[in-house]
Amino acid sequence: MSALFINSTLLLIHRPSNASVVVLTVFEGCKDKPEVLLFYFCLQFINLFMGVPANVMVLWLIHKTKGDSSTSDIFILHLAVLDTFFCLIPPLEFANLMYLTADTTWYVLRFFYGVKDSSPLFLSCICMDRYMAVRHPITFTELKDRKHRPVCAAVVWLVTLAYSAAKCVGNIPNFEKAFTVMILAAFVFMVFCNVSILWALRQSGPGRDEMHPVKKRAFKMVLIILAIIVVNYFPPVALFPFQEYFADDVFRCYIHYIAFGFMDISSSIQPVLYLSKVKLAIPSCRNKACCCCTVTGEMQVST
């Protein structure tokens, strides 16, 4: 029996060599545990109805303000493009998991799942930009107008498309371990960058006993971003390395959908967070000669 890969894990769609054997849909295979599928689909349709317009608004806003954009906006833009396409798949995914057993839809879904699997790479680039702005402001200023960011974005897209194409094939042995390594490395890197930024912002200036008000707002913003990263990405990081210790039906019907439900909802949370800060952050950063947090979450320090 061969198994199809979805979201970097083995799921329950099996293709028996005997064509007379009835092939079960995912819902039929997990019909004793429907509550987790319901939870997963609720999050996916939130992505469809909230994530798509939110990401489109982010794209429009970045295009409109491209003359006054921050250094991280190029990564925000590419992440919004990635998330917009991913947020369009819930109708096909719902039909496939509930009713369809055709191989064609699995190829399409696996490709889109591979794209979403790679989204932490763009988030890592954003975190690196913030980290450099706060921890190494001189180097950041020297690199601010360089062309390395488009190059980094192009490299991330090449990795994303290669990973998605490989996942689309669906029969590469132990391919799910590639996702486990990638998400673990990206998670550790993002947490490190944001904790370092928080530590730097927490230090008061010379002769001051309290944090500057603008630094305090930036601190709260980065703390929110760190909390979102942990909520979205800690479940797969904590659970997938121990896949072999779970029973097969528990992992494919419970763990899989819980972990990826939290990860996938980031496609809506991230653009909403961006939009929620745009009106407040831009004027603040223009008027303050201190450390501030722009709508992209990038930390800029002026001396």
Side-chain angles (χ1 to χ4, degrees), residues 70-72 75-76 79 122-137 140 149 190 193-194 196-197 200-201 221-226 229 270 273-274 291-301:
S70 71
T71 56
S72 291
F75 301 125
I76 295 285
L79 181 61
F122 280 117
L123 287 173
S124 297
C125 292
I126 297 169
C127 290
M128 171 60 80
D129 224 35
R130 299 172 190 159
Y131 173 82
M132 293 297 296
V134 174
R135 301 295 291 184
H136 305 283
F140 176 80
R149 290 180 182 85
M190 289 188 289
C193 288
N194 283 279
S196 297
I197 292 170
L201 293 175
M221 179 64 177
V222 178
L223 190 62
I224 291 172
I225 292 171
L226 178 60
I229 289 173
Q270 289 156 5
L273 179 64
Y274 182 103
C291 174
C292 61
C293 181
T294 70
V295 293
T296 63
E298 171 189 303
M299 307 307 302
Q300 296 181 336
V301 179

Side-chain angles (χ1 to χ4, degrees), residues 16-69:
S17 57
N18 186 350
S20 64
V21 177
V22 176
V23 179
L24 297 178
T25 64
V26 170
F27 178 75
E28 290 170 336
C30 293
K31 62 183 179 181
D32 295 332
K33 308 171 182 65
E35 62 278 3
V36 177
L37 281 177
L38 178 62
F39 164 80
Y40 177 76
F41 279 122
C42 285
L43 295 181
Q44 290 297 77
F45 278 96
I46 288 174
N47 277 339
L48 177 64
F49 294 111
M50 185 172 72
V52 171
N55 280 289
V56 170
M57 289 179 65
V58 169
L59 293 172
W60 175 82
L61 184 63
I62 293 176
H63 174 73
K64 181 181 178 181
T65 60
K66 60 183 178 181
D68 190 33
S69 61

Side-chain angles (χ1 to χ4, degrees), residues 7-9 179-180 235-243 251 255-256 259-260:
N7 272 15
S8 304
T9 62
F179 170 76
T180 301
V237 167
L239 294 172
F240 282 121
F242 306 100
Q243 175 178 346
F251 189 86
I255 304 300
H256 169 270
F260 279 103

Side-chain angles (χ1 to χ4, degrees), residues 177-194:
K177 293 181 179 179
F179 170 76
T180 301
V181 173
M182 179 172 63
I183 192 67
L184 180 59
F187 179 79
V188 171
F189 181 78
M190 289 188 289
V191 170
F192 166 78
C193 288
N194 283 279

Side-chain angles (χ1 to χ4, degrees), residues 5-297:
F5 285 91
I6 296 224
N7 272 15
S8 304
T9 62
L10 278 170
L11 284 188
L12 54 115
I13 292 293
H14 296 282
R15 298 297 184 218
S17 57
N18 186 350
S20 64
V21 177
V22 176
V23 179
L24 297 178
T25 64
V26 170
F27 178 75
E28 290 170 336
C30 293
K31 62 183 179 181
D32 295 332
K33 308 171 182 65
E35 62 278 3
V36 177
L37 281 177
L38 178 62
F39 164 80
Y40 177 76
F41 279 122
C42 285
L43 295 181
Q44 290 297 77
F45 278 96
I46 288 174
N47 277 339
L48 177 64
F49 294 111
M50 185 172 72
V52 171
N55 280 289
V56 170
M57 289 179 65
V58 169
L59 293 172
W60 175 82
L61 184 63
I62 293 176
H63 174 73
K64 181 181 178 181
T65 60
K66 60 183 178 181
D68 190 33
S69 61
S70 71
T71 56
S72 291
D73 273 355
I74 184 171
F75 301 125
I76 295 285
L77 184 145
H78 287 285
L79 181 61
V81 170
L82 183 154
D83 282 337
T84 299
F85 282 104
F86 177 76
C87 288
L88 294 172
I89 70 166
L92 176 62
E93 185 179 28
F94 178 81
N96 192 63
L97 300 187
M98 296 292 292
Y99 306 110
L100 306 178
T101 59
D103 287 339
T104 304
T105 55
W106 287 118
Y107 288 122
V108 175
L109 288 174
R110 284 201 301 271
F111 182 84
F112 278 98
Y113 289 143
V115 169
K116 180 57 181 176
D117 285 353
S118 304
S119 64
L121 299 180
F122 280 117
L123 287 173
S124 297
C125 292
I126 297 169
C127 290
M128 171 60 80
D129 224 35
R130 299 172 190 159
Y131 173 82
M132 293 297 296
V134 174
R135 301 295 291 184
H136 305 283
I138 297 177
T139 303
F140 176 80
T141 302
E142 294 173 351
L143 296 175
K144 188 173 181 179
D145 298 325
R146 300 292 178 86
K147 302 298 183 182
H148 66 281
R149 290 180 182 85
V151 174
C152 290
V155 170
V156 171
W157 270 115
L158 287 175
V159 173
T160 297
L161 295 176
Y163 173 88
S164 301
K167 186 166 188 169
C168 187
V169 174
N171 58 0
I172 300 177
N174 298 318
F175 185 74
E176 69 276 8
K177 293 181 179 179
F179 170 76
T180 301
V181 173
M182 179 172 63
I183 192 67
L184 180 59
F187 179 79
V188 171
F189 181 78
M190 289 188 289
V191 170
F192 166 78
C193 288
N194 283 279
V195 170
S196 297
I197 292 170
L198 290 173
W199 179 260
L201 293 175
R202 191 68 181 85
Q203 308 304 309
S204 60
R208 296 176 183 174
D209 295 327
E210 295 184 359
M211 186 186 302
H212 189 283
V214 181
K215 274 192 175 185
K216 186 177 295 186
R217 288 196 294 270
F219 183 90
K220 291 179 180 179
M221 179 64 177
V222 178
L223 190 62
I224 291 172
I225 292 171
L226 178 60
I228 291 173
I229 289 173
V230 172
V231 169
N232 287 154
Y233 297 102
F234 184 72
V237 167
L239 294 172
F240 282 121
F242 306 100
Q243 175 178 346
E244 61 186 39
Y245 295 100
F246 295 99
D248 289 343
D249 61 334
V250 172
F251 189 86
R252 67 180 183 244
C253 295
Y254 272 104
I255 304 300
H256 169 270
Y257 289 108
I258 290 173
F260 279 103
F262 281 107
M263 178 175 168
D264 293 348
I265 198 62
S266 65
S267 296
S268 294
I269 294 177
Q270 289 156 5
V272 168
L273 179 64
Y274 182 103
L275 296 171
S276 69
K277 299 297 179 180
V278 62
K279 292 183 179 180
L280 296 176
I282 291 180
S284 175
C285 287
R286 286 175 177 172
N287 298 328
K288 300 293 184 179
C290 184
C291 174
C292 61
C293 181
T294 70
V295 293
T296 63

